[in-house]
Amino acid sequence: MNKLFQVGIRVQVALATALMVVGLAALMSFVVGKRSGADLQTQIGLGVSDIALQMADELDRTMWTHRGEVSVLSTLGALRNFEDVREISSIINRLRREIPIFTWIGVLDHEGTVVAATGDMLVGMNIAQRPVFQYGKNGQFIGDVHDAKLLAEKFPLYNGEPIQFVDIAVPLVNDSDEFTGVLATHLSWEWADTVRKSLFGGQGIHQNVDIFVISQEGTVLLGPDQELVGTSLRLDALTEAKRNHVGWKISTWPDGREYLTGYAPADGHLDYDGLNWSILVRQHVDDALAPVFELRRDILIWGTVLAVVFSIIAWWAAGFLVGPIGHMANAIEAMKRGEISQLPDVRGAREINILSKNLQSLLAKLTEKDAALGAMKHIAHHDKLTGLGNRLAMDAYFEHAIARADRKKGELAILMLDLDDFKPINDRFGHAAGDDVLREVAKRLRRCVRGGDLVARLGGDEMVIVCHVDKNGATEATMLAERILHEILMPFITGGNRVSINMSIGISVYPEHGHDPEKLLERADIALYTAKARGKNGYVLFSVVEKSSDSSTSRA
């Protein structure tokens, strides 16, 4: 009974597949027969207009994205205050490497002199008369496609022609909202040509389309025909695009041939108003209609052939593949949901059995490997005695902590800790007692910090805490130091002995006392030794050390 039922399903799938393919072939032949000629012409016209709209949208989105990147870059503190030209140069060169579309990025002072630039190009030159400064100092400026003036000799030719740019510039102001200069960028126009070539190249019935970008004045900015680039077009389709219309027409181009011409305006994206470009996409009328009759014939022939082939394949696959594979897929989904812990044995064709066994083996090995890697990572990043993080964990933590602090406009507090007179404990009670004290110190330090903060042991009785704080970082850091001193002040019990110990703490704050982890640790260490020199059992903020040093220098 079950076997007859299985055979019935396979026959039903085969017949359904055959009927579907034959029906689809008949339907397609009918549709093409009814809509050939003028109707297909309409479909292709709508297609080229859609390509024009997509090209316009892609150009506007790209310009909107890079305009936003320049605006965000202008808000960085280094660019706002001009305090460190080397840091400014590092930032803009990093952006140039990460986003090559920015061919040139320059930071201009309030007089129009280039103080920093990618590759140091034009540094020291005054370009106050260039549009990027003249318009950029008054607000966000986006300039249309133009030839390179000052940078013409700095870059290679593109398609045998000098490189062209699109400008983006924004004013720079300091913390007092005073104008300090202009952030100017040149975007290589090559990206638009790349979009034109790759995004819509050779798609189905539109494999012979040509895409053109036209300026507000009607000048061809970009196209496959270099002879048309730089010339003015007078087409009714272009007139419609300038009226912010989307559609298609049959237009006669300068070569005297008729083309299906799709048009669309590049009218901006979100709060970007655009540069009033127009996009034209054309396909020769003869190329568009040639496949009509050939397509009708091929649909009928191949529809019949495929109906037979797919019905046989479907009949075979329904019994030998669909059932077992579906069972395995359901089991994998159940495992992902946590409903089962291992895959069941699935029986079917020999390959299905092999696949089932190999999947089981692979999942088992991956589980073992994940567990082993997790254990190895934990060992590599943690101190064996106290369970605290080690220097490797601290280095990894700093990398993410600084990025998070910058992103959330917060600060980091770095506390360097050292137990006062720890050696006498080892000498008097033994190293085992000293280890007990270190472990208990680690527990108390963990209680003093939040879950996302780091407590690490650097070696011996030297430890460090890195924690996230708000903008008033020094105040929060000193409050944490006082809490730690209070916790450590409570006696320790080791081997039946009552032990009391104190701690000295040095504090530095990111970014007030430095941007580099090593510099922050070094300054926290200086503050620590100052705390010890002042009698131990206390904390010192690096700012206090700086002021003392400045005061001593002024008295001298």
Side-chain angles (χ1 to χ4, degrees):
M1 182 74 177
N2 186 46
K3 192 171 182 179
L4 290 174
F5 178 77
Q6 289 182 350
V7 171
I9 291 292
R10 294 170 69 183
V11 172
Q12 289 180 45
V13 171
L15 289 176
T17 302
L19 289 174
M20 181 179 66
V21 175
V22 170
L24 183 61
L27 179 62
M28 289 295 294
S29 178
F30 173 78
V31 170
V32 171
K34 293 289 290 183
R35 296 179 178 273
S36 60
D39 286 352
L40 184 58
Q41 176 177 293
T42 301
Q43 293 176 29
I44 296 174
L46 293 174
V48 294
S49 69
D50 187 56
I51 290 176
L53 185 61
Q54 292 182 59
M55 179 69 178
D57 184 63
E58 184 68 20
L59 293 177
D60 284 334
R61 284 175 180 270
T62 302
M63 287 297 296
W64 173 78
T65 297
H66 294 304
R67 185 209 62 170
E69 290 166 349
V70 173
S71 294
V72 171
L73 182 63
S74 70
T75 64
L76 294 180
L79 274 69
R80 287 164 57 89
N81 298 303
F82 281 28
E83 293 177 352
D84 189 341
V85 174
R86 183 180 300 175
E87 182 180 358
I88 294 174
S89 180
S90 175
I91 291 171
I92 61 178
N93 277 287
R94 173 69 182 275
L95 180 63
R96 168 71 179 85
R97 290 193 300 271
E98 296 294 333
I99 310 178
I101 187 175
F102 287 105
T103 306
W104 182 81
I105 307 172
V107 177
L108 288 58
D109 64 18
H110 67 281
E111 295 179 351
T113 300
V114 181
V115 298
T118 50
D120 290 334
M121 287 184 286
L122 305 184
V123 170
M125 183 176 293
N126 187 286
I127 59 172
Q129 300 306 313
R130 301 299 301 153
V132 288
F133 183 82
Q134 289 294 319
Y135 295 104
K137 66 182 181 181
N138 297 321
Q140 189 177 78
F141 166 68
I142 300 178
D144 209 337
V145 180
H146 63 86
D147 293 332
K149 300 289 186 184
L150 301 174
L151 296 171
E153 300 177 359
K154 305 291 185 180
F155 297 99
L157 299 179
Y158 178 71
N159 289 337
E161 299 292 333
I163 192 169
Q164 292 184 307
F165 294 122
V166 176
D167 296 334
I168 301 178
V170 295
L172 298 172
V173 295
N174 60 21
D175 295 336
S176 301
D177 287 331
E178 298 172 341
F179 173 72
T180 57
V182 170
L183 174 61
T185 64
H186 288 333
L187 276 64
S188 169
W189 185 233
E190 295 178 30
W191 63 269
D193 197 30
T194 302
V195 171
R196 180 185 66 81
K197 291 178 179 177
S198 63
L199 192 57
F200 306 112
Q203 297 186 10
I205 60 175
H206 303 300
Q207 58 185 344
N208 294 321
V209 300
D210 297 325
I211 303 174
F212 296 83
V213 179
I214 315 298
S215 73
Q216 183 179 7
E217 294 75 23
T219 302
V220 179
L221 300 175
L222 186 69
D225 187 354
Q226 288 298 315
E227 293 182 1
L228 287 178
V229 175
T231 63
S232 295
L233 283 181
R234 298 289 183 269
L235 295 175
D236 51 356
L238 180 58
T239 301
E240 292 295 326
K242 290 182 177 180
R243 294 172 179 169
N244 284 338
H245 294 167
V246 178
W248 65 277
K249 288 179 173 291
I250 296 180
S251 300
T252 302
W253 281 64
D255 60 1
R257 304 177 68 185
E258 288 188 335
Y259 293 87
L260 281 169
T261 306
Y263 53 85
D267 54 358
H269 177 70
L270 297 180
D271 59 341
Y272 165 60
D273 295 331
L275 292 172
N276 296 318
W277 292 335
S278 300
I279 311 300
L280 299 182
V281 179
R282 72 180 188 183
Q283 184 175 24
H284 195 273
V285 173
D286 293 339
D287 293 336
L289 300 181
V292 173
F293 297 105
E294 182 180 355
L295 181 61
R296 293 174 61 192
R297 183 196 63 205
D298 289 345
I299 287 175
L300 289 175
I301 294 174
W302 283 104
T304 304
V305 173
L306 290 175
V308 176
V309 172
F310 277 100
S311 62
I312 295 173
I313 294 175
W315 180 84
W316 177 82
F320 293 94
L321 294 178
V322 175
I325 290 178
H327 185 49
M328 279 195 294
N330 292 334
I332 292 172
E333 288 295 326
M335 177 175 283
K336 287 170 60 178
R337 294 191 298 266
E339 298 173 0
I340 59 175
S341 59
Q342 62 181 14
L343 292 178
D345 288 330
V346 177
R347 299 298 177 183
R350 184 175 67 88
E351 292 81 3
I352 297 295
N353 295 335
I354 294 173
L355 178 61
S356 177
K357 292 293 184 184
N358 287 340
L359 277 176
Q360 291 175 332
S361 176
L362 179 60
L363 286 172
K365 290 181 178 179
L366 286 175
T367 302
E368 294 174 2
K369 184 175 290 186
D370 284 345
L373 286 174
M376 291 173 62
K377 184 176 180 180
H378 185 273
I379 292 172
H381 285 76
H382 289 78
D383 174 56
K384 184 177 181 181
L385 174 63
T386 62
L388 298 178
N390 56 17
R391 183 171 290 275
L392 187 62
M394 183 183 67
D395 292 341
Y397 183 84
F398 258 121
E399 181 178 349
H400 299 287
I402 289 178
R404 179 187 170 190
D406 291 340
R407 187 170 61 253
K408 294 185 176 293
K409 310 294 185 187
E411 298 181 356
L412 292 176
I414 295 86
L415 282 70
M416 188 72 72
L417 309 99
D418 190 78
L419 296 176
D420 297 333
D421 302 322
F422 178 69
K423 186 175 182 299
I425 295 178
N426 285 328
D427 296 340
R428 182 178 177 185
F429 300 106
H431 287 283
D435 290 346
D436 288 341
V437 171
L438 288 175
R439 281 190 286 265
E440 180 62 23
V441 168
K443 291 179 183 178
R444 296 185 186 185
L445 291 178
R446 287 196 193 97
R447 291 200 298 263
C448 293
V449 299
R450 293 165 296 194
D453 297 332
L454 172 75
V455 182
R457 181 188 179 207
L458 302 184
D461 59 339
E462 187 178 18
M463 303 177 190
V464 65
I465 292 177
V466 183
C467 59
H468 290 273
V469 293
D470 294 330
K471 288 188 177 180
N472 193 7
T475 301
E476 289 192 42
T478 55
M479 292 173 60
L480 175 59
E482 290 175 354
R483 187 161 63 249
I484 291 172
L485 292 176
H486 178 74
E487 285 286 334
I488 299 301
L489 190 61
M490 292 185 290
F492 296 81
I493 305 299
T494 173
N497 298 306
R498 184 184 181 91
V499 177
S500 295
I501 197 167
N502 297 322
M503 175 176 282
S504 296
I505 303 174
I507 306 170
S508 65
V509 178
Y510 170 87
E512 179 182 352
H513 299 143
H515 293 79
D516 179 73
E518 291 299 324
K519 181 65 69 176
L520 292 166
L521 290 170
E522 176 187 332
R523 291 181 170 177
D525 198 46
I526 291 171
L528 170 64
Y529 279 98
T530 302
K532 283 187 173 292
R534 292 184 178 182
K536 307 179 181 179
N537 189 29
Y539 63 86
V540 171
L541 190 67
F542 180 74
S543 299
V544 176
V545 180
E546 281 187 307
K547 290 179 181 177
S548 298
S549 176
D550 293 341
S551 176
S552 299
T553 302
S554 63
R555 286 198 298 271

